[in-house]
Amino acid sequence: ESGTIPSGVGFIGLGIMGRGMVARLLTETSAGSPNVPLICWNRTASKCQDLVDAHSDKNIVIASSPAEVVSQCCVVYSILSTPEASLSVFEATDGTLSGVHKYSAIIDCATLAESDMTRMAEQVKTRGGRFMEAPVSGSKGPAESGTLIFLCAGDRTVFEEVAVTAGLSAMGKASHFLNEAVGHGTRAKLVVNSLMGTMMAAYSEGLALSEAVGLPAEKMVEIIGQGAVASPLYALKGPKMIAGNHAPNFPLKHAHKDMALAKDMAAGAGAEYSVMNSAEALFRSARGGTLANEDFSAVHEVVKAVHEVASK
């Protein structure tokens, strides 16, 4: 290992979230400038080429492996869709971990199990690098508009680093440092997402009940939006649920993954969780059908189907 400090900013994972996030880094920070290459890698290599094509004026390098990204950067962001994908990319022979060096700051923005984050943190530290978990609250739209919320824990020096502060500010509207113990960011994210899924299930049942008793669905969405239970989530998703438009911003299978992880977390903590458990069961049944890749608002199709069966 040479003493030269790498100049690149790394990004691993160009899925629904990563694409929007990396675009913000390119347009709002020095990443992708002549002296600060943006070095990227994705399991589907064509998405890296799409990024290069979309930002032809930027200095973007497509790495051949996650290890190559890490070896050429001090700060590396990673956001992969599932714990399984994250593990395989992190621990592969040419994976993220194998590239870690003494200047490395690895920032993982995925929603994983707490045990996944703590294991990765220990592995990075063992190789002399620094690690911060920073799971994001927000979906495709906020990723593209730079209005994500970062829920951070781990190495505080990473959180306070100028380049990281600039990156998180470009990609998000808020960054919270919760604890130096890795896992607290994931805990916060699971609370947020399990509550969001539960709200979606409740709003769906309210909509289905409205229609079952002869109330106009659009009018009920308007009424709910004017009272104390108004929610940006329902204002956005209510009309789409009525229209049956579930184009994925946050795929249902990922929403359920987070709710299942939260259910396990609640059981481990001995916390009362019966309402959210019911919502998790509803999402589990939706995921088992044809709705897994639809937006998480598609849980409404399961709720409607229950009503339709009951009314026959």
Side-chain angles (χ1 to χ4, degrees), residues 105-125:
I106 306 297
I107 301 171
D108 200 298
C109 302
T111 305
L112 308 172
E114 184 178 336
S115 58
D116 296 322
M117 286 293 190
T118 53
R119 185 189 66 252
M120 290 193 297
E122 286 306 315
Q123 289 170 317
V124 168
K125 273 193 262 185

Side-chain angles (χ1 to χ4, degrees), residues 199-270:
M199 286 172 66
M200 180 62 80
Y203 280 132
S204 175
E205 289 189 348
L207 199 55
L209 176 60
S210 298
E211 293 184 310
V213 296
L215 294 167
E218 289 86 354
K219 179 59 72 177
M220 289 307 297
V221 168
E222 182 186 354
I223 290 166
I224 289 164
Q226 291 170 339
V229 291
S231 152
L233 177 68
Y234 200 48
L236 183 69
K237 301 294 187 182
K240 292 185 177 184
M241 289 156 83
I242 293 167
N245 172 10
H246 306 296
N249 284 301
F250 182 34
L252 188 141
K253 62 185 177 184
H254 296 161
H256 176 256
K257 172 206 72 175
D258 296 349
M259 295 173 81
L261 288 169
K263 179 181 177 179
D264 292 343
M265 181 173 75

Side-chain angles (χ1 to χ4, degrees), residues 39-42 48 61-70 72:
I39 304 180
C40 65
W41 181 88
N42 189 66
C48 291
V61 177
I62 301 174
S64 61
S65 68
E68 188 182 324
V69 174
V70 179
Q72 296 181 29

Side-chain angles (χ1 to χ4, degrees), residues 7 11 26 50 113 142 148 185 193 201 207 221 242-243 265 286 296 308:
S7 61
F11 209 100
L26 287 166
D50 291 344
L148 296 169
N193 275 23
L207 199 55
V221 168
I242 293 167
M265 181 173 75
F296 79 123
E308 284 161 8

Side-chain angles (χ1 to χ4, degrees), residues 13-192:
L14 300 178
I16 289 176
M17 298 297 292
R19 282 197 299 272
M21 292 166 70
V22 78
R24 293 289 300 179
L25 287 177
L26 287 166
T27 58
E28 305 297 322
T29 76
S30 62
S33 63
N35 297 325
V36 187
L38 186 287
I39 304 180
C40 65
W41 181 88
N42 189 66
R43 287 178 295 165
T44 306
S46 61
K47 290 184 180 175
C48 291
Q49 189 58 50
D50 291 344
L51 183 71
V52 171
D53 294 344
H55 300 273
S56 55
D57 59 326
K58 297 292 185 179
N59 181 11
I60 302 171
V61 177
I62 301 174
S64 61
S65 68
E68 188 182 324
V69 174
V70 179
S71 68
Q72 296 181 29
C73 302
C74 286
V75 175
V76 176
Y77 300 94
S78 178
I79 182 160
L80 295 152
S81 58
T82 65
E84 295 75 25
S86 196
L87 178 67
S88 67
V89 168
F90 192 79
E91 294 188 354
T93 307
D94 58 353
T96 307
L97 182 62
S98 67
V100 171
H101 49 82
K102 65 181 179 181
Y103 299 115
S104 293
I106 306 297
I107 301 171
D108 200 298
C109 302
T111 305
L112 308 172
E114 184 178 336
S115 58
D116 296 322
M117 286 293 190
T118 53
R119 185 189 66 252
M120 290 193 297
E122 286 306 315
Q123 289 170 317
V124 168
K125 273 193 262 185
T126 299
R127 287 187 61 95
R130 296 174 296 154
F131 183 90
M132 184 175 79
E133 64 171 341
V136 293
S137 180
S139 59
K140 182 183 176 185
E144 291 171 347
S145 61
T147 54
L148 296 169
I149 300 166
F150 289 89
L151 306 172
C152 308
D155 194 317
R156 188 184 285 274
T157 67
V158 175
F159 184 75
E160 293 173 348
E161 207 158 287
V162 173
V164 174
T165 301
L168 296 182
S169 296
M171 296 185 287
K173 64 180 179 181
S175 300
H176 301 279
F177 189 85
L178 293 155
N179 203 291
E180 291 188 2
V182 170
H184 283 73
T186 293
R187 291 175 194 178
K189 177 64 191 293
L190 294 179
V191 169
V192 169

